[in-house]
Amino acid sequence: MNETNHSLVTEFVLLGLSSSQELQPFLFLIFSLLYLAILLGNFLIILTVTSDSCLHTHMYFLLANLSLIDICVASFATPQMLADFLVECKSISFEACLAQIFFVHLFAGGEMVLLVSMAYDHYVAICKPLHYTTIMSRRVCITLVLIPWCVGFIHTTSQLAVTVNLPFCGPNQVDSFFCDLPLVTKLACTDTYVISLLIVADSGLFSLSSFLLLVVSYTVILITVRNHSSSSTAKARSTLTAHITVVLLFFGPCIFSYVWPFSGYSVDKVLAVFYTIFTPILNPVIYTLSNKEMKAAMSKLKSHYLKSGPVSAVIRNVFFFLETK
Ligand SMILES: *[C@@H]1O[C@H](CO)[C@@H](O)[C@H](O)[C@H]1NC(C)=O
């Protein structure tokens, strides 16, 4: 009887974003450009924040950390997806599949909690401005950066614990461009009803509760901003609008595909593109284009790099691209 517990499947086949062969080179081009833009934009933010001492404040440290997590979110599956556009059979080993499940929940979970950390920073800055420096000490800031990674790790380990021992013996086609948990558990040759419920409870409640936390903190902030009517509220409002946009675009798809995970799979695939590609690209665009300090620091960085070094041509083109936006 024990023998039946063996996993026979050693690799999964990813069906990818589209089954149309003619579309593959086109998709490869589009997504390569998007991925390149994600890497350049987010590295530029990290470089700007770390190299400019005017930006050595908690808000910008959190922003640079968000860029770091964005690079991670975009990198756990996208390179594989790009390579898969060029080959006929998009197979992935069992271990690599589990690794993708592990990383998507680590990074996406981490990003959710980091957005909550940033909302808390905003809340203290706007609602308790006089106590900001005492509340947001260096220690608190580092804690706000570390908690997302810890929570993400606990979250992903708990998800993987229920999946890793599932027996896989028959079908091995995953209808997406990376191994996502609901899609993979569906393939197990055992009754996965309870496990599916556990996944919904874990991922669904996790994203839903971080989302509600964000909604509550932004509501409080917006009410506070409305009652003050100074010139600084205009700036606060534009920062908040940018932040809320990111939150909605990131959480909307995540919550949708996990709270109703067994609805339509082709919808889930498109939603996955949202949080693995579009959110990481939106953060740099939204934060750099709506932020005067960030823009000023970037032009300083630009003039610094233009004076020296052979990389100047590349850097100049990146800035040109950002500024013509
Ligand atoms: C992340 O935040 C920490 C703590 O504030 C900071 O020291 C670090 O430089 C940040 N990371 C990046 C990549 O900016």
Side-chain angles (χ1 to χ4, degrees), residues 14-31:
L14 297 170
L15 295 187
L17 213 48
S18 155
S19 53
S20 149
Q21 274 310 313
E22 300 82 63
L23 270 182
Q24 307 289 317
F26 177 69
L27 291 173
F28 174 78
L29 190 69
I30 300 273
F31 282 98

Side-chain angles (χ1 to χ4, degrees), residues 7 9-15 76 92-102 104-105 159-160 162-193 195-196 199 258 261-262 265 268:
S7 286
V9 170
T10 54
E11 62 174 30
F12 291 99
V13 175
L14 297 170
L15 295 187
F76 80 92
I92 180 171
S93 73
F94 185 73
E95 290 76 20
C97 190
L98 286 183
Q100 283 194 337
I101 293 175
F102 176 83
V104 67
H105 286 274
Q159 297 269 42
L160 214 56
V162 296
T163 332
V164 78
N165 286 323
L166 283 177
F168 293 96
C169 50
N172 67 345
Q173 292 194 330
V174 179
D175 185 14
S176 186
F177 57 94
F178 68 96
C179 284
D180 203 0
L181 199 47
L183 298 174
V184 173
T185 46
K186 197 187 68 161
L187 300 176
C189 40
T190 175
D191 183 15
T192 54
Y193 182 72
I195 288 185
S196 307
I199 292 170
Y258 272 91
F262 306 104
Y265 288 114
D268 284 359

Side-chain angles (χ1 to χ4, degrees), residues 25-234:
F26 177 69
L27 291 173
F28 174 78
L29 190 69
I30 300 273
F31 282 98
S32 304
L33 290 177
L34 287 174
Y35 186 54
L36 198 66
I38 290 171
L39 293 183
L40 283 177
N42 286 298
F43 274 123
L44 194 61
I45 289 188
I46 294 176
L47 185 68
T48 310
V49 171
T50 45
S51 66
D52 193 318
S53 55
C54 297
L55 299 184
H56 285 181
T57 64
H58 296 155
M59 185 185 134
Y60 289 106
F61 278 142
L62 290 173
L63 179 59
N65 277 282
L66 183 67
S67 282
L68 186 66
I69 267 199
D70 270 338
I71 292 173
C72 297
V73 167
S75 297
F76 80 92
T78 312
Q80 161 105 41
M81 171 174 81
L82 292 177
D84 280 348
F85 282 134
L86 303 177
V87 296
E88 196 95 348
C89 181
K90 312 167 194 319
S91 65
I92 180 171
S93 73
F94 185 73
E95 290 76 20
C97 190
L98 286 183
Q100 283 194 337
I101 293 175
F102 176 83
F103 285 122
V104 67
H105 286 274
L106 174 68
F107 297 143
E111 173 146 358
M112 285 181 182
V113 182
L114 187 62
L115 288 170
V116 176
S117 290
M118 292 175 81
Y120 176 70
D121 176 66
H122 274 84
Y123 165 77
V124 177
I126 291 171
C127 301
K128 302 195 183 319
L130 300 179
H131 304 287
Y132 185 77
T133 42
T134 46
I135 296 176
M136 291 294 290
S137 61
R138 176 111 190 101
R139 253 220 345 253
V140 172
C141 188
I142 291 174
T143 314
L144 285 181
V145 169
L146 288 182
I147 286 178
W149 289 104
C150 297
V151 174
F153 183 77
I154 294 169
H155 166 67
T156 192
T157 323
S158 69
Q159 297 269 42
L160 214 56
V162 296
T163 332
V164 78
N165 286 323
L166 283 177
F168 293 96
C169 50
N172 67 345
Q173 292 194 330
V174 179
D175 185 14
S176 186
F177 57 94
F178 68 96
C179 284
D180 203 0
L181 199 47
L183 298 174
V184 173
T185 46
K186 197 187 68 161
L187 300 176
C189 40
T190 175
D191 183 15
T192 54
Y193 182 72
V194 176
I195 288 185
S196 307
L197 279 184
L198 278 177
I199 292 170
V200 176
D202 194 327
S203 285
L205 285 183
F206 179 67
S207 44
L208 210 55
S209 51
S210 340
F211 183 66
L212 289 180
L213 219 60
L214 285 168
V215 168
V216 170
S217 46
Y218 281 122
T219 311
V220 174
I221 295 173
L222 283 174
I223 290 172
T224 315
V225 169
R226 256 182 61 180
N227 293 342
H228 299 216
S229 54
S230 68
S231 59
S232 65
T233 56

